[in-house]
Amino acid sequence: MKKTLCILAAACLPLAAQSADADAAKALLKKNDCFKCHALDKKKDGPSYKEVAAKHKGEADAEQKLLTHMTTSPKVKVDGKEEEHKQIKGKDEEIQNLIKWILSL
Ligand code: HEC
């Protein structure tokens, strides 16, 4: 886990100056079936990505929180039942781009 985080931090540096690639972010969500429970701006089983961005606005560790959420299967409530949150699959830089994009919504 530690190693992945280091790689991500390194990949983050060159990306920091650019804005996120929205098409790539959406493609990654689609590939991972994340739209099953999340929409861009409507609540489904999970919060909309705009809601997520609003919730974490101004937090210095927002990127880290979303990364942890997407990669460690925390318990979430879906339809009143507790289940493990889906883990995202993708390259470090793809996930980093997705997180930047969500937080920019
Ligand atoms: C089975 C339904 C379901 C699927 C599929 C799902 N999520 Fe979620 N997700 C949730 C729920 C429910 C929450 C709310 C958790 C909470 O607030 O406690 C959530 C929360 C989140 C959050 C907010 C975390 C935070 O700290 O605010 C992010 C980001 C997120 N999901 C990303 C994803 C991504 C990326 C995928 C695809 C890999 C995905 N989700 C797939 C149900 C789902």
Side-chain angles (χ1 to χ4, degrees):
M1 197 58 211
K2 253 207 166 103
K3 189 161 164 250
T4 319
L5 293 178
C6 289
I7 293 166
L8 272 165
C12 175
L13 290 178
L15 269 173
Q18 301 160 11
S19 55
D21 181 338
D23 289 341
K26 286 186 218 162
L28 189 64
L29 291 173
K30 210 166 171 188
K31 208 161 76 185
N32 279 275
D33 244 358
C34 310
F35 285 123
K36 195 177 130 216
C37 298
H38 297 283
L40 204 56
D41 52 13
K42 275 196 306 280
K43 185 166 170 48
K44 294 171 90 174
D45 284 330
S48 74
Y49 289 122
K50 284 203 171 149
E51 220 179 299
V52 174
K55 177 177 155 197
H56 294 284
K57 206 176 169 77
E59 291 176 0
D61 58 349
E63 291 194 16
Q64 188 58 50
K65 278 192 189 157
L66 293 204
L67 177 67
T68 304
H69 182 89
M70 287 180 199
T71 53
T72 59
S73 307
K75 291 266 192 299
V76 297
K77 279 226 162 84
V78 177
D79 269 340
K81 282 196 321 256
E82 227 181 37
E83 59 175 74
E84 290 189 346
H85 191 268
K86 192 176 166 75
Q87 269 194 40
I88 194 156
K89 290 198 185 66
K91 295 197 198 93
D92 286 349
E93 57 267 30
E94 288 175 331
I95 297 171
Q96 194 69 41
N97 176 65
L98 171 63
I99 291 172
K100 274 181 77 114
W101 176 75
I102 291 175
L103 291 174
S104 75
L105 290 172

